[in-house]
Amino acid sequence: MHVPDGFIDAPTSAVTAVVAAGALAVSLRGARRELDERTAPLAGLVAAFIFAVQMLNFPVAAGTSGHLLGGALAAILVGPYTAVLCVSVVLLMQGVLFADGGLTALGVNITDMAIVTTVVSYAVFRGLLAVLPRKRRTVTVASFVAALVSVPAAAVAFTLIYAVGGTTDVSIGKVATAMIGVHLLIGIGEAVITALTVGAVIAVRPDLVHGARGLQQRLRLRVNGELVDAPAPTAPVAARTSRRTLWVTGLVTSLVLAGFVSFYASANPDGLEKVAHDKGIDKKAEKHATADSPLADYGVRDIADARLSGGLAGVIGVGVTIVAGSAVFWALRRRRSDDVSPVSTGI
């Protein structure tokens, strides 16, 4: 769903850029509350993992493919504010280095793929946790539904943006029907990937999953005829794996997915590309500003072997994304530490 340059007119692109900038400013402040020394490294890893999995287009129907958007996955693992930043880092790396998603359309893409997916999915996720039994399995089920809903929600958001600032004269009804229809199918793939990933992390380190915090209900005892909360256990539950092991495993998985598995991804156009071609939305598409990048189209220039070129580009992308993301999240964590330090509080 990466929107190229030329799909949306300049005024609308400018407005979405302002919306995106405002949301990023709010997210920077919110992420300082979500991140600590345990979760900051995970946030950088989540961004790299999303980058890697977005290279794995899966077939959905009639010559169309889809890929992970990642808003739901990031929101559940590291929190909604941090999730907006994770997906935005990925979109920035893709636009600048790989010519994927227009630079003038960056505000559109952040609004659609980072903000809308995160807000919608996390609202659905928290709503389901409020009514379902408070168990670990509930988190996995809720993550599946939240991710499923987030993708057609992004399709609706794109349709609304296109209705306001589309550069071609195409019936909005046709655009909406095509976009929502194909992205409902893509949403199933998004839901499966999200649920499997959240389930895997929560199985080994539930304490690191933002959406699973406070999951267990406190035991209640009847004392003198009244129900009271039992004291919390003093000994923490032992983690099944260390944070370092989880981080290394996640990084290796991301590198393998981007560097090797991506070669076998579907070559069919994704949902937006297919709809744009079929409905004529792409008539005024513009050449990408970084089309001459040595990594454009997820290949390394001057390397003739397609497998090696694509794999090396994927590995570079994962590396750059995890470095950029980790730098942002570590800076936010340090800022939080400074805010709560004895000096800053006057103690």
Side-chain angles (χ1 to χ4, degrees):
M1 202 180 291
H2 295 75
V3 179
D5 295 320
F7 276 28
I8 307 298
D9 63 26
T12 306
S13 296
V15 171
T16 58
V18 172
V19 172
L24 290 175
V26 172
S27 297
L28 285 168
R29 293 181 62 86
R32 285 161 55 186
R33 299 191 298 270
E34 293 173 344
L35 295 170
D36 55 29
E37 66 280 356
R38 299 181 308 156
T39 56
L42 180 62
L45 178 62
V46 167
F49 182 77
I50 290 173
F51 176 91
V53 180
Q54 282 197 2
M55 294 184 65
L56 308 181
N57 281 45
F58 48 85
V60 289
T64 309
S65 69
H67 63 71
L68 182 80
L69 297 184
L73 175 62
I76 295 164
L77 288 180
V78 294
Y81 294 107
T82 307
V84 171
L85 300 178
C86 281
V87 180
S88 297
V89 168
V90 173
L91 293 173
L92 182 61
M93 296 299 103
Q94 290 170 332
V96 172
L97 298 179
F98 298 92
D100 189 10
L103 296 186
T104 62
L106 186 59
V108 175
N109 286 320
I110 290 177
T111 300
D112 194 23
M113 296 176 64
I115 300 170
V116 171
T117 59
T118 298
V119 171
V120 170
S121 64
Y122 199 69
V124 172
F125 177 78
R126 298 309 306 184
L128 290 173
L129 288 190
V131 298
L132 295 176
R134 298 173 62 83
K135 299 179 179 179
R136 291 183 183 178
R137 184 175 299 176
T138 300
V139 175
T140 304
V141 172
S143 67
F144 182 94
V145 177
L148 177 64
V149 173
S150 71
V151 179
V156 171
F158 169 79
T159 303
L160 293 175
I161 294 172
Y162 185 81
V164 174
T167 56
T168 54
D169 186 16
V170 180
S171 168
I172 298 305
K174 292 181 179 179
V175 174
T177 300
M179 283 292 292
I180 296 171
V182 71
H183 284 92
L184 279 171
L185 298 176
I186 295 173
I188 297 173
E190 178 102 11
V192 171
I193 295 170
T194 300
L196 288 175
T197 306
V198 170
V201 177
I202 204 172
V204 295
R205 288 301 299 259
D207 58 311
L208 297 181
V209 178
H210 185 276
R213 292 180 180 177
L215 183 64
Q216 300 296 328
Q217 291 179 315
R218 293 285 296 275
L219 177 65
R220 307 200 76 190
L221 304 175
R222 187 173 295 278
V223 179
N224 297 327
E226 296 183 358
L227 288 175
V228 298
D229 289 335
T234 55
V237 178
R240 294 179 60 179
T241 188
S242 68
R243 279 181 287 157
R244 177 176 296 180
T245 300
L246 177 64
W247 193 90
V248 171
T249 302
L251 178 59
V252 170
T253 301
S254 300
L255 291 171
V256 170
L257 292 175
F260 177 74
V261 180
S262 62
F263 181 78
Y264 301 98
S266 173
N268 292 330
D270 66 23
L272 176 59
E273 291 173 331
K274 179 67 172 176
V275 172
H277 177 73
D278 290 348
K279 304 302 179 183
I281 296 175
D282 59 357
K283 291 180 180 178
K284 295 186 179 181
E286 300 173 0
K287 181 181 178 180
H288 199 285
T290 61
D292 296 328
S293 165
L295 298 173
D297 297 324
Y298 298 94
V300 179
R301 184 189 299 172
D302 299 329
I303 295 182
D305 185 276
R307 186 191 298 269
L308 178 60
S309 177
L312 183 57
V315 169
I316 293 172
V318 168
V320 172
T321 302
I322 199 168
V323 169
S326 297
V328 172
F329 300 127
W330 275 108
L332 289 173
R333 186 196 69 83
R334 292 188 63 182
R335 180 70 180 272
R336 168 182 170 169
S337 300
D338 292 342
D339 289 344
V340 299
S341 67
V343 173
S344 63
T345 57
I347 297 176

